[in-house]
Amino acid sequence: MHVVFALFFALTAPLGIAIGVGLQGVLNTNSPEYLMTLGIVNSIAAGMLIYVAFEHMNAFRTKGEWLRKQGIATHLVCFGGFIVAGAALLVVAKWA
């Protein structure tokens, strides 16, 4: 199944880039419709990234032998690190 996902990504990523480059010359990037669409698509992508990050953190917490044996303080430190990393990403995103 991983091979199928890798092939799907390898085929669709260049296609999406080509479509984006082709449409860039045609679209008015200052129009309200374009900006609204861009905002919605970026929001969806950010939501998916947050979901994946939380899912990986939860899988590490529940399936990781090392973390499962630790106390609540270690769990809180790991979660705090996750929050700090997310805040750092927000600061970087503000500049982008």
Side-chain angles (χ1 to χ4, degrees):
M1 193 61 155
H2 293 294
V3 173
V4 173
F5 288 145
L7 287 174
F8 183 74
F9 177 77
L11 295 174
T12 59
L15 180 66
I17 292 170
I19 291 171
V21 169
L23 289 177
Q24 187 176 10
V26 178
L27 291 175
N28 178 12
T29 57
N30 292 325
S31 71
E33 294 85 9
Y34 174 79
L35 295 175
M36 181 68 79
T37 303
L38 186 65
I40 291 170
V41 170
N42 284 342
S43 299
I44 291 170
M48 289 190 314
L49 286 173
I50 291 171
Y51 170 76
V52 168
F54 272 116
E55 193 62 32
H56 278 273
M57 186 178 71
N58 190 38
F60 179 68
R61 187 177 58 83
T62 57
K63 294 186 168 98
E65 287 294 324
W66 174 81
L67 191 58
R68 217 177 333 164
K69 294 176 183 175
Q70 303 302 315
I72 188 71
T74 306
H75 283 264
L76 291 175
V77 168
C78 289
F79 187 72
F82 178 76
I83 296 299
V84 168
L89 286 174
L90 287 173
V91 169
V92 171
K94 181 68 176 160
W95 289 331

